[in-house]
Amino acid sequence: MIRMTFQSGLKEKEKQFVAFKQQFGYTYEARIYNLLDFDRFCAANYPGRDTLDRDIVLKWAVIRPTETANGFATRISAVRQFGKYLAMLGEDAYIIPDGFRGGDMPLMPYIFSEATLRQFLGYTDSMERYYQSTVRHLVAPVMFRFMYCCGLRPCEARNLDRADINFENGRVFIRESKHYKERVVYAPDSLMPIILEYMKDIDCIFPDRQPLFIDRNGIRYSYGAQQYLFEHCRDHSGIKWSGTKAPNLYSFRHTFATHRIYRWFKEGKDLGAYLPKLSAYMGHSHYEHTLYYLHFVPDIFSDMTGFDFERFSYLIPEVAYHE
């Protein structure tokens, strides 16, 4: 049994809340850790405060640098339940909205710098033919470049067919993506020669295939195979990271958005006018998903002096849902 040592101004109410839970058969031991953590936060930052105010809760409900989305969700759940308990008793307590979830408010994703992106792609360019696969060394340099250059979700890259690409103008048709939406993106001119060379090489091995990116059996990449290939390239390229902020398949999409916003800023573009275009290009179901990337830019590009983020604060919702 965990020994409860609540110390903040809310300690008596917290003890009563735990007793209330246990009265209905809940041991509540796992959540007590989170409630004790919250109590220490309150004692250190709001000594003597005996109400569950909005400002206390929102400052507590900030995802930590090394915290996973699931860990964040578990941590704030205890305070959400505590708030509901107090409200049930008639107290004026702030309740964390149910939509305020760890999956919607993830920790800051890994964003490739120009150096680490070159490092990753440089390794894919140097890959030799693997004895268990005749195509892995051909697929990796093109698929991951495609994901970065067009800001694609991993599933969107896997689902591409060769017929989805207009090789004359770079028009790419994205079929049945998230929420079964379709959209069109345009690949940069610099990518088209790489794709054409890939098509020529892959046709020598699997001439009748329909999927753009295929595995060693000549069929469309599965999620597991795509993930395995990415992790192989990531680990062998020597990229360093710490904690839970590791490069993953979505890092190309996050990097595309963040780099694009940064370039528009450097070019003096009006972000208020250009961000909706980025939202449509990336296929975001809500504009807030695109605005969320504004949070990442100052942390990644320290030389963005002069950028008035206060000017865009009205664009960023209080609870920024993320896709």
Side-chain angles (χ1 to χ4, degrees):
M1 179 68 180
I2 300 171
R3 183 179 179 183
M4 293 183 292
T5 54
F6 295 115
Q7 301 175 354
S8 73
L10 289 163
K11 62 183 179 181
E12 295 303 324
K13 296 175 182 178
E14 290 167 329
K15 291 177 183 178
Q16 293 168 8
F17 169 62
V18 173
F20 172 78
K21 283 289 187 179
Q22 293 173 340
Q23 178 183 347
F24 289 93
Y26 298 100
T27 60
Y28 210 69
E29 290 195 9
R31 297 299 171 89
I32 288 177
Y33 281 114
N34 300 119
L35 200 59
L36 286 168
D37 196 11
F38 175 70
D39 180 79
R40 287 192 291 269
F41 169 82
C42 293
N45 297 279
Y46 302 92
R49 188 84 67 90
D50 62 353
T51 56
L52 194 66
D53 295 337
R54 182 175 183 272
D55 58 332
I56 296 178
V57 174
L58 291 185
K59 287 182 179 178
W60 163 257
V62 175
I63 198 158
R64 296 165 179 173
T66 59
E67 191 172 33
T68 65
N70 287 338
F72 172 73
T74 300
R75 179 166 63 84
I76 68 171
S77 176
V79 179
R80 179 190 290 118
Q81 292 298 321
F82 180 45
K84 290 181 177 180
Y85 166 76
L86 294 177
M88 181 183 68
L89 297 180
E91 290 203 24
D92 186 16
Y94 181 76
I95 302 172
I96 301 176
D98 288 335
F100 200 83
R101 301 187 302 270
D104 290 330
M105 288 288 290
L107 72 167
M108 180 177 175
Y110 182 93
I111 307 293
F112 286 102
S113 66
E114 291 187 9
T116 54
L117 191 61
R118 283 197 302 268
Q119 196 173 338
F120 184 97
L121 296 176
Y123 173 77
T124 66
D125 292 338
S126 67
M127 292 175 68
E128 298 180 353
R129 178 170 173 169
Y130 186 48
Y131 77 97
Q132 290 186 339
S133 174
T134 58
V135 298
R136 186 180 76 167
H137 65 295
L138 301 174
V139 171
V142 183
M143 180 167 64
F144 296 133
R145 274 186 171 85
F146 213 117
M147 291 170 65
Y148 166 67
C149 290
C150 297
L152 300 185
R153 299 180 177 95
C155 64
E156 293 171 348
R158 294 196 307 271
N159 291 334
L160 282 173
D161 285 342
R162 59 193 304 171
D164 294 331
I165 302 177
N166 185 319
F167 295 97
E168 293 183 0
N169 60 15
R171 185 179 184 273
V172 182
F173 180 56
I174 307 298
R175 295 174 290 106
E176 296 185 6
S177 183
K178 192 170 184 180
H179 305 301
Y180 303 99
K181 291 185 177 181
E182 298 175 340
R183 72 183 192 280
V184 171
V185 302
Y186 282 86
D189 294 340
S190 59
L191 185 62
M192 298 314 296
I194 298 173
I195 297 174
L196 289 171
E197 185 66 23
Y198 162 77
M199 297 282 287
K200 183 176 69 175
D201 292 339
I202 214 80
D203 282 345
C204 295
I205 306 170
F206 295 104
D208 298 323
R209 85 208 184 289
Q210 291 304 314
L212 182 63
F213 300 118
I214 56 175
D215 64 12
R216 61 185 181 181
N217 298 312
I219 61 176
R220 191 182 307 279
Y221 255 77
S222 65
Y223 169 77
Q226 187 186 36
Q227 179 73 20
Y228 179 83
L229 179 59
F230 172 81
E231 291 178 355
H232 169 85
C233 296
R234 178 195 65 190
D235 296 344
H236 285 76
S237 64
I239 295 176
K240 306 297 183 182
W241 70 89
S242 60
T244 59
K245 194 174 68 173
N248 58 46
L249 281 167
Y250 271 90
S251 294
F252 295 112
R253 180 170 166 87
H254 299 321
T255 302
F256 164 82
T258 309
H259 285 190
R260 175 49 55 196
I261 293 171
Y262 175 66
R263 288 168 186 162
W264 280 337
F265 161 73
K266 296 293 283 186
E267 294 167 3
K269 305 292 187 183
D270 181 356
L271 294 188
Y274 274 77
L275 286 175
K277 299 178 182 179
L278 181 63
S279 183
Y281 184 93
M282 297 185 71
H284 284 155
S285 57
H286 298 285
Y287 185 39
E288 290 86 351
H289 298 161
T290 312
L291 300 178
Y292 195 75
Y293 288 107
L294 285 175
H295 291 289
F296 307 149
V297 177
D299 292 306
I300 300 303
F301 301 100
S302 59
D303 61 336
M304 290 187 68
T305 55
F307 185 50
D308 184 9
F309 277 91
E310 291 299 320
R311 177 188 169 199
F312 298 98
S313 61
Y314 72 96
L315 293 174
I316 305 174
E318 184 175 342
V319 180
Y321 293 103
H322 181 66
E323 183 176 69

